[in-house]
Amino acid sequence: MRMYDLIYKKKLGNALTKEEIDWMVEEYTKGSIPDYQMSAFLMSVCFNSMNEEEITTLTMAMAHSGDMVDLSSINGIKVDKHSTGGVGDKTTLIIAPVVAACGLKVAKMSGRGLGHTGGTIDKLESIPGYRTDLSMEEFVAVVNEKGLSVIGQTGNLTPADKKLYALRDVTATVDSIPLIASSVMSKKLAAGSDCIVLDVTTGSGAFMKNVEDAKTLAKLMITIGKNAGRKMAALVTDMDVPLGRAIGNSIEVIEAVEVLKGGGPDDLKKVCVELAGAMLYLGEKGTMEECITMAENAIASGSAYNKLKDMVAAQGGNVDVLENTKLLDKAKYTYEVVAEESGYIGKMDAQEIGNCAMLLGAGRKTKESCIDFSAGIMLNVKTGDKVEKGEVLARFFTNDKESIPHAVEKYQSAITFTQQKVLKSALIYCNIY
Ligand code: URA
């Protein structure tokens, strides 16, 4: 077989066979197909798409390119969740303890972030001592004892996705529905849980810029998961505005702790309760309404917060910083961004705001960059809020004073003012089972 012929076939819009896709994934993972040929193939998928059979085959080939995690030594139903990405998305830190407090097992492998802010693993590592590199035996033991564990992806989980994702990132081929679906679902299937809830985000801070595309992606991923024997659900959620108010790493941990202690921003709490409710529903804990109430009660009673503390302690983290979040490292510099005019916030470009947080040190510019856990942005106002000239729009935290002017300029241009009252967009567009 020759990669040239597969690229040509896809360029003409024809479907590849299972043999061709399996061969391509295996040879690319081994390093026998060069990046320039794979880049051409990915771009032809962006233009000509793939049919459902091709996408399912691609997903399975990518899932089997490395270890398939065996969670059979964990007792009970294992549930997982995945977000297709967003700004200020700290939902895993809240949902995993909520679901574990309600009696399901959460054995979760998460990623690091590239681009705007850190991923869940970076956020957890802002808790001093927290180990994200547990061995498989330690991981299983923590889940069996505490009900949950969140660790980094093991070295050999979906190596095909690791290579493909890095290539897509630099060839403008990330935002393709077949490529996102196969990337997400290969990781979820390899990670071994019985039930999977997907948070498919849409809006300026998401890969899917409109709700219809997000629904198409959600339905496709559900079909792939069901065909592989998993119980599946998806919520299409808004990411036109950052979720919650904190964007960064330790400040997102603080906000997640606030929600688990019964406070925190309403939008964040609502999305978390709905996602946790869907996980409990798939885990057969009751009707959808009962599961949502169960999730709310786990927060109100403090049992979910206790689960977070159990997990952090079991993985070597300093629980004192959760009890007293003032103990977390603080950035040297704080800067207030103020409104240059009066009016309503008409629109926020969430992606650009994420990029501001990255400039301040909260995210990685390249894979090798180090994250400053204390850097980030605290939003004071969001879309639809009325502001007066001179009022604080956001607070920046950084240890890199020189990054501030550029970040301020970017932030100001990411906000659009209007004189008309603004209708806030829906937070959750639909649930799909
Ligand atoms: N998240 C993933 O894991 N993969 C994608 O392709 C996009 C979002």
Side-chain angles (χ1 to χ4, degrees), residues 18-246:
K18 177 170 176 351
E19 289 67 38
E20 287 168 335
I21 293 173
D22 287 347
W23 175 84
M24 181 180 70
V25 171
E26 193 180 331
E27 295 300 314
Y28 181 64
T29 310
K30 274 201 295 205
S32 318
I33 294 173
D35 280 348
Y36 55 81
Q37 284 192 310
M38 188 50 88
S39 306
F41 178 78
L42 294 170
M43 193 55 87
S44 63
V45 171
C46 288
F47 288 122
N48 289 329
S49 197
M50 284 180 134
N51 65 33
E52 209 172 281
E53 202 179 325
E54 287 179 287
I55 302 168
T56 304
T57 306
L58 177 63
T59 307
M60 295 316 288
M62 286 166 68
H64 286 277
S65 67
D67 299 337
M68 294 293 284
V69 177
D70 177 7
L71 299 179
S72 58
S73 51
I74 296 174
N75 315 312
I77 300 175
K78 278 80 70 179
V79 285
D80 197 356
K81 72 147 279 256
H82 189 90
S83 162
T84 56
V87 180
D89 183 353
K90 66 284 289 175
T91 53
T92 295
L93 305 179
I94 300 164
I95 294 167
V98 167
V99 170
C102 296
L104 296 179
K105 295 282 166 52
V106 183
K108 183 151 177 54
M109 291 183 183
S110 284
R112 291 184 190 283
L114 183 65
H116 42 76
T117 44
T120 301
I121 287 306
D122 300 305
K123 291 167 198 175
L124 282 166
E125 284 181 353
S126 71
I127 301 172
Y130 187 90
R131 283 183 56 213
T132 57
D133 61 348
L134 302 189
S135 68
M136 215 47 211
E137 293 69 33
E138 290 172 313
F139 178 52
V140 165
V142 174
V143 180
N144 268 331
E145 264 172 48
K146 308 295 178 193
L148 76 167
S149 175
V150 182
I151 61 167
Q153 276 158 22
T154 60
N156 201 32
L157 195 88
T158 56
D161 179 60
K162 278 198 192 94
K163 281 190 79 176
L164 284 168
Y165 196 85
L167 189 61
R168 287 165 59 211
D169 208 26
V170 292
T171 54
T173 52
V174 172
D175 58 350
S176 146
I177 290 179
L179 298 180
I180 296 178
S182 51
S183 164
V184 169
M185 288 310 296
S186 62
K187 287 188 285 261
K188 293 294 102 179
L189 297 180
S193 283
D194 310 302
C195 310
I196 302 161
V197 171
L198 301 165
D199 178 8
V200 183
T201 49
T202 178
S204 63
F207 294 123
M208 295 294 103
K209 300 295 177 203
N210 65 67
V211 178
E212 281 320 303
D213 283 350
K215 280 186 191 168
T216 304
L217 175 62
K219 285 180 190 157
L220 179 61
M221 292 195 287
I222 286 183
T223 305
I224 296 171
K226 284 186 176 170
N227 286 342
R230 311 299 168 92
K231 291 175 101 177
M232 299 290 305
L235 268 69
V236 174
T237 65
D238 186 66
M239 193 42 80
D240 213 30
V241 181
L243 191 59
R245 295 197 176 264

